[in-house]
Amino acid sequence: FTMSSALPILILTTVFVLALLLFLLSNPFNQGSHPSSLSTTLRVVPFTNVTHISRTFKEPVLLRGIPDLHLDSWKHLDDFHFTNTKHSSHEIFTLGTGDERHPKLSEIWYEDRKGLESFFHGKEDEFRYFAGEYTKHIDHEEQFKEHNSNRVKELEDSSAGFYKMLWVGEKAVSAQLHLDEPRNIFVQIQGTKTFYFLPPEEWPQVFNYPHISLHKRQSQVDMSHLTTGASDPTFEHFWKYVWPKRREVTLRAGDALYLPPYHYHFVVADSFCVSLSFLNPGLEEVQVAKAWRIPLPFETFPMGHERILLVRLFLWMVAEKISPRAPDVLLRLIYKARFEPHYSVYANLQTLGSAFTCFSQKDWMNPQAYGYLLKYVDEVAQVFLDPTVNISTAVREFKFADYAETVLKETVGERNVATFFKQCYG
């Protein structure tokens, strides 16, 4: 073995190392101080402002170049609302612990002031999670607000408006698989957090809780099975066919994510985490809310044959207009996705007696009833189909399911919604 024989090997090795370094330096996914956080199937795009981002991207993307938010003072307790925020009274949110012995936390949504103080004083075992509205103005905040939209006035007038949320949690705490309706730019301030995504098109197989439930927006699938490894025969289809389709990304301090409305996500803290969300109401949310404000004629009919006939026909007719699925298929799908897995929980607790029957197609599809309802059907359908908003089919179907539940709650009673779906559509 001589120096001359080793020279070619040395040259090849040098060339290889230089080429590798050049690739790593030029690789567009290797940006920032935490390149491993960008090891994902998500696109990586430069941040400009939320209006441009929300108009351009309809699926989750990683954002590069978020301005420095100067959030070193996030522990100042006076910067938060702690009592009954506009979000807290509407739902209960399920959290996981990552501990197979006690896989779930108490089903709490927003903690009080003591909850956040416990993190500052090292009492994480008592309160393991906090979420609260962050009210202090921060640097560059305007870049995260929706502007220059043809719906900007409606966004400003909506019940939600623009707001910021701070999330603080221990290692292994997870947020149940769920969807959100606002547009969310999620910034990781401290620690490491992993997101798992499923697209809106999977709504029939994610098994949302009913809209009338305090767990609305969340999946009924018990995600603690990922920790315990136990079988889940109720949702075997989900684990076998839906969960394998997930996409995922791990965020580290300084990373940011744009999460469009209605994308399901399951979130796990890989360490002690602090995160901040900038939330703008989605155009879909603001638009579809108009359907809830359209007055319907059913209260003028006493409970009985005629009211049930009209309600059943009305929802059928709206379904026929807003979805490419056959109406019976969509309405049956809503029942199977939301009520069937735990039907006994939602089963008829307040019977309507002989009035609560579903009639033959010949009986309830009569021309007189059809003509009477057509005006209301067209008005509601136009809300869902407004071309200026361009709501996707999946979101239209999901929000129609919410709307159908609301109509039934108001016309046959909350305790009879599941029974109506099962007997009339299931």
Side-chain angles (χ1 to χ4, degrees):
F1 185 84
T2 64
M3 182 63 70
S4 60
S5 63
L7 189 58
I9 297 175
L10 180 61
I11 293 172
L12 287 172
T13 302
T14 303
V15 170
F16 175 80
V17 170
L18 289 173
L20 180 61
L21 287 172
L22 184 62
F23 171 79
L24 291 174
L25 289 172
S26 63
N27 185 358
F29 294 98
N30 187 20
Q31 301 288 337
S33 57
H34 301 288
S36 60
S37 68
L38 304 183
S39 177
T40 173
T41 56
L42 299 190
R43 292 184 62 183
V44 183
V45 302
F47 176 74
T48 49
N49 58 65
V50 67
T51 304
H52 170 76
I53 295 296
S54 63
R55 286 181 178 180
T56 307
F57 301 102
K58 304 304 179 187
E59 59 185 31
V61 292
L62 280 165
L63 301 174
R64 190 169 53 210
I66 289 286
D68 191 344
L69 303 179
H70 298 108
L71 273 173
D72 298 333
S73 61
W74 65 267
K75 291 186 178 182
H76 293 175
L77 295 180
D78 292 338
D79 295 341
F80 302 93
H81 283 316
F82 293 95
T83 57
N84 194 29
T85 71
K86 55 179 170 280
H87 319 284
S88 61
S89 61
H90 299 305
E91 63 186 292
I92 298 172
F93 203 85
T94 304
L95 303 170
T97 65
D99 183 343
E100 62 181 25
R101 297 167 299 176
H102 308 287
K104 289 185 180 179
L105 291 178
S106 299
E107 294 183 336
I108 53 176
W109 191 203
Y110 293 97
E111 266 299 353
D112 57 14
R113 186 184 184 98
K114 184 179 178 184
L116 189 58
E117 287 176 337
S118 70
F119 280 112
F120 301 154
H121 297 99
K123 299 177 181 178
E124 293 90 343
D125 288 340
E126 182 178 358
F127 291 91
R128 306 184 67 178
Y129 185 79
F130 169 83
E133 187 174 354
Y134 189 79
T135 57
K136 183 179 178 181
H137 183 84
I138 64 172
D139 292 346
H140 309 288
E141 184 169 302
E142 290 301 312
Q143 294 186 49
F144 296 90
K145 288 184 180 180
E146 181 76 33
H147 290 297
N148 302 320
S149 167
N150 62 349
R151 295 301 175 101
V152 70
K153 188 173 189 309
E154 291 180 39
L155 293 175
E156 291 170 348
D157 293 344
S158 71
S159 59
F162 170 80
Y163 62 102
K164 306 183 295 291
M165 289 292 297
L166 188 86
W167 318 95
V168 184
E170 273 192 66
K171 179 181 180 179
V173 170
S174 61
Q176 171 66 4
L177 181 64
H178 68 287
L179 59 78
D180 297 313
E181 296 191 285
R183 299 171 175 181
N184 184 358
I185 292 185
F186 186 96
V187 181
Q188 189 68 10
I189 298 171
Q190 180 177 332
T192 303
K193 184 171 285 187
T194 299
F195 281 74
Y196 301 87
F197 305 101
L198 289 169
E201 291 73 21
E202 297 294 344
W203 74 263
Q205 304 177 95
V206 173
F207 301 101
N208 260 89
Y209 278 96
H211 181 66
I212 59 175
S213 164
L214 286 174
H215 296 82
K216 62 183 180 182
R217 301 188 301 109
Q218 301 170 64
S219 169
Q220 298 178 56
V221 178
D222 186 351
M223 302 303 288
S224 68
H225 287 280
L226 293 172
T227 300
T228 64
S231 62
D232 187 8
T234 303
F235 298 109
E236 183 179 1
H237 180 87
F238 171 85
W239 293 112
K240 189 173 182 180
Y241 298 105
V242 181
W243 188 240
K245 300 177 185 178
R246 68 191 182 278
R247 302 170 73 187
E248 62 186 80
V249 64
T250 297
L251 303 180
R252 291 172 171 76
D255 290 340
L257 170 75
Y258 172 60
L259 186 59
Y262 303 100
H263 281 258
Y264 289 96
H265 48 289
F266 173 64
V267 189
V268 181
D270 303 313
S271 66
F272 173 79
C273 282
V274 180
S275 315
L276 185 72
S277 283
F278 297 88
L279 297 144
N280 287 277
L283 293 180
E284 303 95 335
E285 175 188 10
V286 175
Q287 171 66 19
V288 174
K290 296 175 182 178
W292 271 252
R293 299 194 289 269
I294 297 172
L296 300 175
F298 305 119
E299 293 301 323
T300 61
F301 297 87
M303 182 60 69
H305 175 106
E306 199 165 17
R307 180 189 288 194
I308 290 177
L309 180 152
L310 289 171
V311 171
R312 183 185 184 197
L313 179 57
F314 170 77
L315 293 177
W316 178 284
M317 292 168 66
V318 176
E320 187 174 37
K321 286 182 175 288
I322 63 96
S323 171
R325 303 183 203 261
D328 60 329
V329 172
L330 176 58
L331 290 160
R332 193 178 304 119
L333 203 57
I334 294 170
Y335 167 73
K336 289 184 174 296
R338 296 192 174 191
F339 294 100
E340 189 176 60
H342 295 118
Y343 177 72
S344 60
V345 176
Y346 308 107
N348 184 22
L349 304 177
Q350 178 183 314
T351 181
L352 292 172
S354 60
F356 195 79
T357 55
C358 284
F359 309 99
S360 69
Q361 183 167 322
K362 180 180 178 181
D363 188 23
W364 64 273
M365 290 289 279
N366 69 75
Q368 185 178 359
Y370 190 93
Y372 175 76
L373 292 172
L374 196 55
K375 167 194 167 185
Y376 302 99
V377 170
D378 286 342
E379 193 173 355
V380 171
Q382 285 171 14
V383 171
F384 283 87
L385 298 170
D386 188 330
T388 65
V389 182
N390 192 25
I391 303 172
S392 70
T393 298
V395 173
R396 283 203 310 270
E397 291 178 340
F398 181 88
K399 291 305 295 180
F400 168 72
D402 289 354
Y403 176 74
E405 286 188 45
T406 304
V407 170
L408 291 175
K409 176 182 176 181
E410 294 175 354
T411 54
V412 302
E414 181 173 353
R415 293 183 175 182
N416 297 297
V417 173
T419 304
F420 191 103
F421 267 106
K422 183 175 183 179
Q423 293 190 13
C424 297
Y425 304 126

